[in-house]
Amino acid sequence: MLDTLSEFFLALAQQPLDPRKRIYLGYLIAAAVIAVLWRFKLGSSANYSLRSLFNAKVWWGRSARADYLVILINQAIMLLLSPLLLAKLSVAASVYYALSHAAGAPGLFANAPPLLATVSYSLTLFLMDDWSRFALHKLMHDSPLLWAFHKVHHSARTMTPLTVYRVHPVETVLFTLRSALVQGICTAVFIYFMGNKLSLLSIFGVSAFIFIFNTVGSNLRHSHIRLCYWPCLEKIFISPFQHQLHHSTAPQHFNKNYGAVLAVWDLWRGSLIGSANQAPPRFGLRRREQDQEHSLRSLYWHPLAEACMRIQKLVSR
């Protein structure tokens, strides 16, 4: 029991110190600096910018307090579930042996320059990972069954960088499996064709692309800081304000901007909306806040009950 508790608190304590995590302290500091500079550019004083950034109504409102509780509960749940989930090494080994059995001896491009192998692997993994995030995110909106779980994330009324973890455990499991499949398949294919000299283009042990994305303000996506990009750039990368529009209660913003890093997937599927001429959004599932929408019953039990009801309807047809 003590070992489990120690592992639980250690996992929580390590998150701000781990560059692989979104809430790594370095990323949070970078986001805060960008936010203050953005406010300053818009004409706010440095003092007002700081007070706005650390607004107590945002960081300690009912919605934010629910975020913090969800983080604790989900950490405990995933600690129990993680040994049962599919691991990327298992996926990689299975795909590698399947390729070897079906296509013969590996190493077709084993003589490729190491730099070419590293760059091509890193770029392919980034693109596959970003597209799969977009695809699963869109599916969670399109499927009434999955929306029952995903709307927990959209129920946030105020957003802080920790709101990224305001998700139902079912959604966490789905995205964990997605990551294992994408990383496992991509790694196996590249090792099969290019050999074991493969390495990831990384910074501090993190994919260089993800490190840059997190450093330039990804944590402002879940915040009240409305940072926009130039219109042409917002057709390539999702800006923080574009993601905030995704959380909007306004009907014209529904089912828009599913992308994580790249906007090109939304542009391709016709779900992209830019920041230009958009009013500051109100966050949540509906315009009027309900008394119990941040309760643990609403965040954990109601999605399960709704999903069971939908499955029952499908089976009884």
Side-chain angles (χ1 to χ4, degrees), residues 88-213:
K88 62 182 178 183
L89 290 178
S90 300
V91 175
S94 299
V95 173
Y96 180 86
Y97 287 123
L99 283 172
S100 299
H101 179 74
L108 181 62
F109 302 110
N111 294 324
L115 180 59
L116 175 62
T118 296
V119 172
S120 59
Y121 168 63
S122 301
L123 181 59
T124 302
L125 180 58
F126 165 71
L127 291 174
M128 285 183 61
D129 184 73
D130 197 61
W131 174 82
S132 64
R133 285 177 185 272
F134 164 84
L136 180 53
H137 188 186
K138 188 175 187 306
L139 181 61
M140 298 201 78
H141 280 259
D142 292 345
S143 165
L145 178 63
L146 295 181
W147 172 247
F149 300 108
H150 185 56
K151 66 184 179 182
V152 169
H153 182 61
H154 279 266
S155 66
R157 288 287 176 177
T158 56
M159 294 202 295
T160 73
L162 295 177
T163 305
V164 71
Y165 296 115
R166 183 194 178 108
V167 292
H168 195 278
V170 169
E171 178 172 346
T172 302
V173 168
L174 289 174
F175 272 90
T176 300
L177 294 175
R178 175 211 61 82
S179 178
L181 286 170
V182 168
Q183 293 186 41
I185 292 171
C186 187
T187 300
V189 170
F190 269 83
I191 289 178
Y192 176 78
F193 284 108
M194 293 188 165
N196 58 10
K197 63 184 177 183
L198 202 64
S199 63
L200 186 69
L201 187 65
S202 63
I203 302 174
F204 299 127
V206 185
S207 165
F209 299 105
I210 298 302
F211 180 87
I212 293 169
F213 169 65

Side-chain angles (χ1 to χ4, degrees), residues 64-315:
R65 294 198 303 271
D67 294 352
Y68 308 147
L69 190 55
V70 166
I71 291 171
L72 294 174
I73 295 172
N74 284 358
Q75 181 69 47
I77 292 173
M78 293 308 296
L79 188 64
L80 297 174
L81 292 181
S82 56
L84 306 175
L85 297 178
L86 193 64
K88 62 182 178 183
L89 290 178
S90 300
V91 175
S94 299
V95 173
Y96 180 86
Y97 287 123
L99 283 172
S100 299
H101 179 74
L108 181 62
F109 302 110
N111 294 324
L115 180 59
L116 175 62
T118 296
V119 172
S120 59
Y121 168 63
S122 301
L123 181 59
T124 302
L125 180 58
F126 165 71
L127 291 174
M128 285 183 61
D129 184 73
D130 197 61
W131 174 82
S132 64
R133 285 177 185 272
F134 164 84
L136 180 53
H137 188 186
K138 188 175 187 306
L139 181 61
M140 298 201 78
H141 280 259
D142 292 345
S143 165
L145 178 63
L146 295 181
W147 172 247
F149 300 108
H150 185 56
K151 66 184 179 182
V152 169
H153 182 61
H154 279 266
S155 66
R157 288 287 176 177
T158 56
M159 294 202 295
T160 73
L162 295 177
T163 305
V164 71
Y165 296 115
R166 183 194 178 108
V167 292
H168 195 278
V170 169
E171 178 172 346
T172 302
V173 168
L174 289 174
F175 272 90
T176 300
L177 294 175
R178 175 211 61 82
S179 178
L181 286 170
V182 168
Q183 293 186 41
I185 292 171
C186 187
T187 300
V189 170
F190 269 83
I191 289 178
Y192 176 78
F193 284 108
M194 293 188 165
N196 58 10
K197 63 184 177 183
L198 202 64
S199 63
L200 186 69
L201 187 65
S202 63
I203 302 174
F204 299 127
V206 185
S207 165
F209 299 105
I210 298 302
F211 180 87
I212 293 169
F213 169 65
N214 287 334
T215 302
V216 297
S218 68
N219 280 303
L220 296 178
R221 292 155 55 88
H222 294 103
S223 78
H224 56 291
I225 306 299
R226 300 182 177 97
L227 175 62
C228 309
Y229 297 159
W230 295 288
C232 57
L233 192 59
E234 287 191 338
K235 292 181 180 179
I236 303 173
F237 300 105
I238 295 287
S239 71
F241 187 76
Q242 280 177 292
H243 187 74
Q244 290 163 17
L245 292 175
H246 175 76
H247 280 264
S248 171
T249 59
Q252 66 267 29
H253 299 149
F254 291 173
N255 302 319
K256 300 293 185 181
N257 299 345
Y258 297 108
V261 180
L262 297 176
V264 293
W265 317 121
D266 282 293
L267 187 62
W268 168 47
R269 296 303 300 270
S271 54
L272 184 68
I273 184 171
S275 299
N277 303 317
Q278 299 297 328
R282 298 172 64 180
F283 304 137
L285 293 171
R286 56 189 68 83
R287 287 192 173 274
R288 289 188 177 182
E289 186 171 2
Q290 298 181 338
D291 291 338
Q292 298 300 314
E293 66 182 23
H294 302 302
S295 69
L296 293 182
R297 185 179 181 85
S298 294
L299 297 173
Y300 284 93
W301 171 248
H302 287 174
L304 284 172
E306 182 180 339
C308 288
M309 181 186 68
R310 291 189 179 280
I311 292 173
Q312 187 177 26
K313 286 184 178 180
L314 288 173
V315 172

